[in-house]
Amino acid sequence: MKVAIVDDSKEDAGLLTDYIKKFENEKNIKLQCCVFYASFDFLETYHGEYDVIFLDIEMLGSNGLEVAREIRSKDDAVGIIFVTSMAQYAIHGYEVNAIDFIVKPVRYYNFATKLEKAYQFCRKRSTHNILLNNKDGIQRFSASDILYIEKDGDYLIFHTVQGSFQGRGSIKAMKEKLAELYFEESISGCLINLEYVIHIGKDSVTVESDVQLPLSRRLKKQFSQKYMKYMGGEF
């Protein structure tokens, strides 16, 4: 797991770094840690490579919530933990889907509890994250945010709640990767997240945002059964 500490206080950042080393020794795991003393430096170089970010809310010249929003615009999957001396600011964490917050001065037991939560968060999400490397850069998003995936030649187009992204791949390989989740083919070359299905018609499936996707006669029975199972009903 890769951890970033973004804090303009060298003393506070050093303390968190020491805590991470102590956590590694106690849990017998290896964490990679990088420290940034300015949010600008961090945002300029960030390309979705971290799993967890400990972010100071009250840094000179920047607003931690705005920094978190900028992070979210680049990476919807990374875990964010706010570090603050004023707890009332941390309640805004829901706006950027923060994992948690820590109030300064940070004590090791509290920090270790939050880091363990982040570690488990990352383990659960790691196998269900999609990482695309294309001409536009590196894009990472959670599989749970995918509405549907369609094949376009040698590429796949991922239609997500954040927008559409393209990357090389095959429907077969993606179906295997997402086997633990509820994705099902409606036609050859179109994989739909059953979470977002709102209607199954005679020859089409409607997903959120009123997008209609074709449903083949050959796959209709299997698709409908999988959807009923997902919804907890009986077919």
Side-chain angles (χ1 to χ4, degrees):
M1 185 172 79
K2 297 188 69 174
V3 180
I5 297 171
V6 185
D7 196 318
D8 60 357
S9 167
K10 291 187 177 182
E11 181 179 355
D12 290 343
L15 181 64
L16 296 189
T17 301
D18 290 342
Y19 284 170
I20 286 175
K21 292 177 182 176
K22 184 176 180 179
F23 184 88
E24 285 181 305
N25 292 331
E26 288 183 352
K27 301 293 184 177
N28 194 29
I29 59 175
K30 181 62 178 176
L31 305 177
Q32 298 181 49
C33 179
C34 292
V35 178
F36 298 85
Y37 299 111
S39 58
F40 176 80
D41 292 338
F42 174 73
L43 291 173
E44 191 176 47
T45 60
Y46 184 58
H47 298 291
E49 63 269 41
Y50 295 102
D51 299 298
V52 178
I53 302 168
F54 286 92
L55 177 63
D56 184 13
I57 292 183
E58 302 106 32
M59 288 181 288
L60 289 174
S62 65
N63 179 301
L65 286 172
E66 290 301 323
V67 174
R69 291 189 184 101
E70 182 67 22
I71 292 170
R72 276 285 173 258
S73 71
K74 297 182 176 185
D75 188 347
D76 187 62
V78 66
I80 298 174
I81 298 179
F82 285 125
V83 183
T84 174
S85 57
M86 302 182 70
Q88 62 266 34
Y89 287 148
I91 64 173
H92 295 287
Y94 70 90
E95 297 176 13
V96 291
N97 296 320
I99 297 177
D100 215 324
F101 69 93
I102 303 175
V103 178
K104 295 182 179 182
V106 181
R107 306 301 181 192
Y108 176 71
Y109 177 78
N110 189 28
F111 176 84
T113 300
K114 309 295 185 182
L115 186 55
E116 175 66 27
K117 182 177 180 180
Y119 182 70
Q120 296 303 328
F121 169 86
C122 292
R123 286 188 63 187
K124 289 179 181 178
R125 297 195 69 166
S126 61
T127 57
H128 297 150
N129 282 342
I130 306 298
L131 187 67
L132 298 181
N133 191 345
N134 53 36
K135 61 182 179 63
D136 297 319
I138 298 173
Q139 181 70 39
R140 179 173 64 169
F141 49 88
S142 172
S144 62
D145 290 337
I146 298 172
L147 302 174
Y148 63 98
I149 306 167
E150 61 178 335
K151 182 175 175 58
D152 182 16
D154 293 332
Y155 291 87
L156 295 177
I157 302 176
F158 298 81
H159 299 273
T160 78
V161 295
Q162 291 85 29
S164 298
F165 308 99
Q166 187 182 65
R168 285 188 176 274
S170 69
I171 288 290
K172 180 181 178 181
M174 193 53 56
K175 190 172 183 179
E176 290 174 357
K177 178 177 175 62
L178 302 175
E180 296 180 9
L181 304 179
Y182 284 92
F183 281 79
E184 193 63 31
E185 281 186 280
S186 62
I187 60 170
S188 178
C190 184
L191 195 59
I192 300 177
N193 187 344
L194 298 182
E195 179 181 353
Y196 296 100
V197 172
I198 56 178
H199 177 71
I200 299 176
K202 180 180 179 180
D203 56 8
S204 67
V205 177
T206 305
V207 299
E208 286 191 15
S209 301
D210 290 329
V211 176
Q212 285 196 345
L213 301 169
L215 176 62
S216 73
R217 181 181 301 178
R218 178 177 63 86
L219 294 174
K220 182 176 181 179
K221 182 177 180 180
Q222 178 176 308
F223 188 94
S224 299
Q225 288 176 334
K226 288 291 182 69
Y227 182 67
M228 292 298 290
K229 180 180 179 181
Y230 170 75
M231 294 299 295
E234 296 182 359
F235 192 82

